[in-house]
């Protein structure tokens, strides 16, 4: 039962499913569920929500406690702050971290946890580095992923394109999304690995207007702190690059805005 | 225990881990493991391998039976053969299928299953559409993913680039990989979503020579059958696009080379 719940997040599972699958009475299924519920909560795995009535059942909502999230991110920040990660232009080398499926899943769970009540229909990102993180997040929200292309790929059918100004490089760029990739009036969560001025995310928001979509939130892994020119305001970051001293090879990085919200 | 095994594929877990975690004697742990082993095998989840001795333990190897794999792919092929998927140039629209985390995980498990004995160190793909599939495959093999870039991204440090000729478009293109992204002499599994003539995969193979890597295999989701110009020979495909009749809007697609090998 635990395994089935973990494999089907954000999915309402009728109690009859379990009672038929395991040949047990609904009452003993309910008892087992309350044990699982406690274990999930105490171990910081997530919530188990029960919905009463004929159309009722149980739903597993992945959720990470602030305590677990902070412990995980603090370890990751120590790894990110290693001087050899410093790249020209004030960027950080993160491909190894975002290339490890286990770490990636953990980060995805944090983002899915932050937006668990946002009624997300689809996770959107722009190619290429944000793609794995978008999938990791989407799998915990049980929704599909839509990838915005940086050019017009012939293999996508009719597309909607917009030009946008990248906030950090101030250059005009193009991004496109296939018309059929996103149903109109979807509720979209934007996910990306790195945000400088936010031009790319602003571009995605503009593109989404063409699809009459609602942006329910933005989640980024690392943001930079030069927010004087910040184009967007409403987002969650897991880590914040405070200062990069290219000369001294020092990286100052701290917990992101995810952790300023004490509500959980 | 089941959950821990499923979450840690291709990882040797000492029996002492379970006996400490659950406060049980090793003998009863062994008994439980043989029950799980039988369940995994009968349900087509995978193998459970026990390694004897002081450094021993148990390892879960994800494996899909031919029967399960064929049933899954036949359903998917019916979906892929829908005429509205047809795009100019004989391409198929697959973004919705590859955008669904559950389907993607299933496909990834098939590929991981095919290369379970190849001692893979790392899964490699080229941006952008193959990335999600590469991650899905890698998570079942418990290895990291390395993504080859189609241009020189400033954020990667020093890179190795090669020019290659795309087999289908006959144009010269560039692909690059950061020097630090891949340790030398790695054993690499190449994964991609679509293969026409194979120029992109051949390009990755050439690039890998620069890293003194060994290519242990190639797995693609869909290949096209115009193999007169096929540049590479040794690969596994899950589905094969036999014929696309753009005029009649007909798509002929069948099971790929994955299923010609009856060995399992």
């Amino acid at each position: 039962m635990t395994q089935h719940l973990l494999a089907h997040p954000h999915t309402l599972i009728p109690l009859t499913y379990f009672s038929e699958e395991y040949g047990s009475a609904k009452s003993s299924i309910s008892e087992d569920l309350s044990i699982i519920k406690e274990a999930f909560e105490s171990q910081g795995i997530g919530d188990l929500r029960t919905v009463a009535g004929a159309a009722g059942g149980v739903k597993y909502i992945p959720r990470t406690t602030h305590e677990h999230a902070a412990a995980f991110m603090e370890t990751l920040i120590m790894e990110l702050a290693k001087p050899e990660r410093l790249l020209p232009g004030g960027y950080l080398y993160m491909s190894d971290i975002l290339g490890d499926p286990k770490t990636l899943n953990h980060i995805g769970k944090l983002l899915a946890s932050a937006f668990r009540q946002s009624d997300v229909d689809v996770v959107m990102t722009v190619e290429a580095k944000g793609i794995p993180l978008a999938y990791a997040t989407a799998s915990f929200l049980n929704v599909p992923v839509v990838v915005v292309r940086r050019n017009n790929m012939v293999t996508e059918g009719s597309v909607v394109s917009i030009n946008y100004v990248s906030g950090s490089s101030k250059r005009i760029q193009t991004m496109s999304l296939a018309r059929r990739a996103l149903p109109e009036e979807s509720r979209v969560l934007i996910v990306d690995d790195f945000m400088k001025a936010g031009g790319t995310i602003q571009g995605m928001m503009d593109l989404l207007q063409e699809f009459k979509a609602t942006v329910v939130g933005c989640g980024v892994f690392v943001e930079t702190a030069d927010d004087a020119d910040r184009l967007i305001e409403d987002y969650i970051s897991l880590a914040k690059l405070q200062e990069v001293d290219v000369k001294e090879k020092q990286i100052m990085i701290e917990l992101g805005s995810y952790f300023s919200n004490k509500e959980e």
Side-chain angles (χ1 to χ4, degrees), chain A:
Chain A
M1 255 160 76
T2 309
Q3 193 215 320
H4 189 88
L5 288 164
L6 288 173
H8 299 86
H10 285 273
T11 309
L12 188 70
I13 302 160
L15 293 195
T16 45
Y17 171 84
F18 288 124
S19 59
E20 277 164 23
E21 188 78 359
Y22 303 106
S24 319
K26 274 200 194 179
S27 59
S28 62
I29 295 288
S30 293
E31 268 173 47
D32 289 352
L33 284 174
S34 65
I35 296 169
I36 295 175
K37 187 183 164 78
E38 259 177 56
F40 274 20
E41 279 167 14
S42 70
Q43 288 176 44
I45 293 172
D47 297 338
L48 216 57
R49 235 168 265 168
T50 38
V51 179
V58 62
K59 201 190 264 191
Y60 157 54
I61 315 280
R63 181 159 88 97
T64 309
T65 59
H66 252 63
E67 204 186 339
H68 279 96
F72 169 73
M73 279 307 298
E74 268 157 14
T75 316
L76 209 51
I77 279 174
M78 276 168 57
E79 179 59 40
L80 282 168
K82 289 189 179 163
E84 62 265 31
R85 294 194 173 273
L86 212 53
L87 295 172
Y91 286 94
L92 282 192
Y93 182 77
M94 311 197 294
S95 299
D96 56 338
I97 288 173
L98 294 175
D100 174 48
K102 241 176 247 170
T103 309
L104 198 67
N105 267 334
H106 215 129
I107 301 170
K109 192 178 175 190
L110 297 196
L111 290 179
S113 178
F115 295 102
R116 69 188 183 280
Q117 289 165 327
S118 304
D119 209 3
V120 177
D121 289 328
V122 60
V123 170
M124 173 181 273
T125 192
V126 67
E127 61 186 15
K129 294 205 188 154
I131 298 177
L133 185 53
Y135 273 89
T137 308
S139 71
F140 284 101
L141 288 170
N142 189 34
V143 297
V145 175
V146 163
V147 179
V148 176
R149 304 287 161 195
R150 287 201 190 269
N151 50 24
N152 295 7
M153 300 283 273
V154 68
T155 58
E156 298 259 293
S158 78
V159 297
V160 179
S161 294
I162 60 148
N163 297 319
Y164 68 102
V165 179
S166 159
S168 41
S169 69
K170 305 275 185 219
R171 276 185 314 175
I172 292 182
Q173 298 185 287
T174 305
M175 57 169 76
S176 320
L177 183 62
R179 181 52 83 183
R180 64 170 114 181
L182 187 67
E184 291 208 339
E185 305 192 354
S186 297
R187 294 175 58 84
V188 179
L189 170 63
I190 295 176
V191 167
D192 213 351
D193 61 328
F194 201 80
M195 177 170 71
K196 285 192 104 169
T200 308
I201 288 176
Q202 184 60 51
M204 279 192 263
M205 287 178 168
D206 293 345
L207 186 63
L208 282 170
Q209 288 197 347
E210 286 295 316
F211 290 83
K212 300 191 176 70
T214 307
V215 178
V216 298
C218 281
V220 298
F221 176 44
V222 177
E223 64 164 316
T224 56
D226 60 341
D227 39 16
D229 290 336
R230 179 78 78 227
L231 296 168
I232 66 159
E233 302 252 304
D234 198 19
Y235 62 90
I236 280 180
S237 67
L238 293 178
K240 192 169 185 167
L241 200 54
Q242 280 295 354
E243 218 186 301
V244 173
D245 187 335
V246 180
K247 229 160 124 190
E248 297 288 324
K249 293 220 168 218
Q250 284 219 329
I251 300 170
M252 291 267 294
I253 184 162
E254 58 178 38
L255 291 176
S257 66
Y258 183 96
F259 299 94
S260 3
N261 179 352
K262 300 275 178 241
E263 170 235 7
E264 322 237 345

